[in-house]
Amino acid sequence: MILLLRLSGIAIFLVLWEIAGRSMGAALLAPPSDVIAELGKLATEAQSRATIWQSLAPAVVGFGISCAIGMPLGAIMGRSKVADALLHPWMSLFVVTSVAAIVPILILMVGTGWWFVVTVVVLSSVWYVVLTTYQGAVRINRRLLDVGRAFGASRVQIFRAVMLPALFPYLLAGARIGLVHAIRSVVLAQLFILTGLGGLLQEAGMDISTARLLALLVVIMGLGLIASHGLGQVAHWLAPWQKTVDERT
Amino acid sequence: MSLRRALPFLSVAAGLALWEGIGRLTPPIVFSPFSATAWQLLHTAALPGAILQSLGTLLTGFLLSAVVALPLGFAMGRVWWVREMFHPIMTGLYAIPPVAFIPFLIVWFGLFVESRIAIVVIMCFFEMLTIASAGAANIDRRLQDVARSFAASRRRTATAVLIPASMPFLFTALRVGLVRAVAGVITGELLLSPANLGKILLDNAARFNTAGILGIVATVALLGLCVQQGLLWLERHVLRWERP
């Protein structure tokens, strides 16, 4: 029954889109049938495939850097009052700052090469990783830490045996949000310098038909869904006993 | 205690000093000190007008988005078949980066203010939708049970239980949405035809005027922060009963 409703939701959406597309014409809104045909064409073009793959590399590298910086930083902020007081104002400032606004100065600083995209990715995803890890670190149950201390565990042991398992769901939630933002910002960065996915989108925007544009959006959507659900699966596989945390902490 | 209170302010002061220091050591094209940035900002005559114009775009887009996102999110949270029907589509659309819609928006709305409003609408829509739907789904069952035990009418349940219980998450949704809307405005003003704050930013970038660029970046950052803190403040005042 539930499956039926879900499928019918998607079906109604597609039918409405098809009707709207046919009545408005492909120049304004290509119907899904055209978009599927275009997707097939996209899949056979080696050039486009390579471009899409290459666009993923800076997202992955930037995301890795964000995790490597953000997770320890968030944990430290959550456990140390001084670090929190010192860093929190900056974190709340940076997390509300739109990366798009920083892009022009980044272009002056690092040029428009591969590392430019990586920098944009890091600058847009690292704050989410930090703040999510921070939420987890603040909420570590005091009693668990006290048990560790009562049994004379060293700081390293407490970190490994108590804090890390307690933080785990938050680390994963942070990683998920970070990855979603990483993919978003790759597209943003590439739209500024018109390479990779951004370049493809720009080119498709010039077409008479919007079919190619919509096909690219579907591809990007697929990448985003695979990324966020893939990490959810990895989390479940690594630590099946953990509940996932609400991502919007 | 007082030292800990002072630490954030000290940190901000230290950060500004660091900015000043790095700015003085590096060539002015790469980075410019805080003082030069502030000076430049004060001498940008077009700034207040640009901020007002940007705010106009922002509020229009934000309100249009909220009017659809909040009721739909609420319905998705409360009515199970609405949720099941919309959830897959919304998840899919949410996975598309809003900026990826820009070439499409150009086809539909052109390069100017309509398009910028549209990007703001898209930027904040899904955030507000998800928060509203999660919040509505998590309204404490016991509150509703109490209303039912006292045989409250549907209308009375709505006004006395559902609406007050929804206020906190509606505020959160508005706050997150508004911050996203700030990002949306500046994205639109940079990637569509340059306008307002985005235009000042790009003009400065074209002249390699780093102080000018940093000034606008700081303005946008402060705008986001003000919007967020302003709504937090409003939330604390309106929702007095929620305070611990």
Side-chain angles (χ1 to χ4, degrees):
Chain A
M1 183 64 191
I2 282 178
L3 191 68
L4 201 73
L5 263 175
R6 284 187 184 169
L7 289 179
S8 73
I10 297 175
I12 291 172
F13 180 75
L14 287 177
V15 168
L16 283 179
W17 176 7
E18 183 80 37
I19 293 170
R22 296 209 171 220
S23 57
M24 282 193 268
L28 276 181
L29 183 73
S33 44
D34 287 10
V35 174
I36 290 169
E38 193 62 40
L39 267 177
K41 236 195 278 172
L42 204 64
T44 54
E45 288 168 29
Q47 182 67 44
S48 311
R49 274 208 320 259
T51 314
I52 292 170
W53 275 122
Q54 279 158 16
S55 303
L56 288 182
V60 173
V61 171
F63 169 67
I65 297 176
S66 286
C67 287
I69 302 174
M71 287 173 175
L73 197 59
I76 291 170
M77 274 172 63
R79 297 314 306 167
S80 151
K81 289 246 156 64
V82 176
D84 184 30
L86 285 177
L87 294 174
H88 217 121
W90 293 102
M91 290 301 146
S92 12
L93 182 64
F94 287 128
V95 83
V96 299
T97 305
S98 153
V99 222
I102 318 179
V103 166
I105 196 166
L106 276 181
I107 293 180
L108 288 186
M109 283 176 172
V110 290
T112 54
W114 198 78
W115 285 101
F116 162 73
V117 182
V118 174
T119 316
V120 173
V121 170
V122 172
L123 284 179
S124 61
S125 59
V126 69
W127 323 114
Y128 295 94
V129 180
V130 170
L131 288 175
T132 315
T133 314
Y134 167 80
Q135 296 291 344
V138 168
R139 287 175 200 175
I140 291 178
N141 196 336
R142 270 212 69 83
R143 280 179 291 179
L144 295 179
L145 292 175
D146 288 342
V147 169
R149 211 164 294 145
F151 280 93
S154 69
R155 289 186 83 121
V156 178
Q157 279 173 322
I158 288 188
F159 178 75
R160 272 196 43 206
V162 181
M163 283 168 64
L164 217 48
L167 268 182
F168 188 75
Y170 289 89
L171 292 178
L172 278 167
R176 254 174 96 163
I177 305 174
L179 192 56
V180 168
H181 280 271
I183 290 178
R184 281 188 190 182
S185 54
V186 161
V187 178
L188 174 76
Q190 291 179 337
L191 265 174
F192 268 98
I193 57 174
L194 299 179
T195 53
L197 278 168
L200 285 178
L201 279 169
Q202 166 79 11
E203 256 173 51
M206 306 280 185
D207 280 358
I208 291 286
S209 163
T210 49
R212 194 175 168 79
L213 196 55
L214 289 168
L216 282 169
L217 287 184
V218 172
V219 170
I220 298 175
M221 179 185 89
L223 291 175
L225 285 179
I226 292 171
S228 69
H229 286 256
L231 258 183
Q233 289 302 313
V234 169
H236 190 70
W237 176 69
L238 277 178
W241 65 89
Q242 288 283 10
K243 295 182 304 206
T244 45
V245 246
D246 177 25
E247 291 185 17
R248 262 150 236 293
T249 35
Chain B
M1 192 61 208
S2 66
L3 180 67
R4 241 178 57 205
R5 280 261 175 82
L7 266 180
F9 297 102
L10 285 177
S11 164
V12 171
L16 292 181
L18 190 68
W19 178 2
E20 182 77 29
I22 296 176
R24 280 174 190 258
L25 290 176
T26 48
I29 279 198
V30 180
F31 204 71
S32 93
F34 170 64
S35 51
T37 306
W39 180 254
Q40 177 81 38
L41 210 54
L42 287 176
H43 287 253
T44 310
L47 190 69
I51 293 181
L52 280 181
Q53 296 258 331
S54 294
L55 279 178
T57 315
L58 185 147
L59 283 180
T60 316
F62 172 69
L63 291 177
L64 283 175
S65 196
V67 163
V68 182
L70 295 180
L72 183 59
F74 197 82
M76 278 172 70
R78 301 299 311 168
V79 186
W80 69 275
W81 57 267
V82 176
R83 173 172 55 238
E84 297 303 339
M85 266 178 73
F86 279 94
H87 191 252
I89 296 164
M90 291 303 161
T91 317
L93 290 178
Y94 186 40
I96 302 176
V99 284
F101 286 108
I102 282 184
F104 198 68
L105 294 179
I106 295 176
V107 173
W108 272 60
F109 300 107
L111 279 167
F112 303 103
V113 69
E114 297 87 349
S115 234
R116 291 200 293 271
I117 292 175
I119 188 78
V120 174
V121 170
I122 296 179
M123 276 288 239
C124 52
F125 182 82
F126 294 101
E127 253 80 5
M128 291 199 278
L129 182 83
T130 337
I131 296 174
S133 110
N138 290 331
I139 290 176
D140 198 342
R141 269 219 69 83
R142 283 176 299 176
L143 296 178
Q144 301 165 50
D145 289 343
V146 170
R148 197 167 311 145
S149 334
F150 281 94
S153 66
R154 281 185 84 104
R155 216 172 118 201
R156 182 100 183 99
T157 313
T159 54
V161 175
L162 287 182
I163 291 178
S166 310
M167 292 307 274
F169 69 79
L170 287 180
F171 261 102
T172 310
L174 288 177
R175 176 160 48 86
V176 174
L178 206 48
V179 171
R180 295 281 302 160
V182 174
V185 160
I186 192 71
T187 311
E189 288 177 353
L190 286 169
L191 280 172
L192 298 159
S193 86
N196 308 332
L197 286 175
K199 183 165 163 50
I200 303 180
L201 184 57
L202 288 177
D203 285 350
N204 280 316
R207 283 187 274 123
F208 295 100
N209 182 358
T210 314
I213 307 179
L214 283 175
I216 300 298
V217 174
T219 310
V220 174
L222 284 178
L223 205 60
L225 203 62
C226 288
V227 157
Q228 157 149 315
Q229 296 303 320
L231 264 179
L232 273 177
W233 179 86
L234 192 69
E235 187 178 337
R236 273 200 295 272
H237 275 257
V238 176
L239 306 178
R240 281 167 186 282
W241 71 86
E242 281 287 325
R243 248 187 309 193

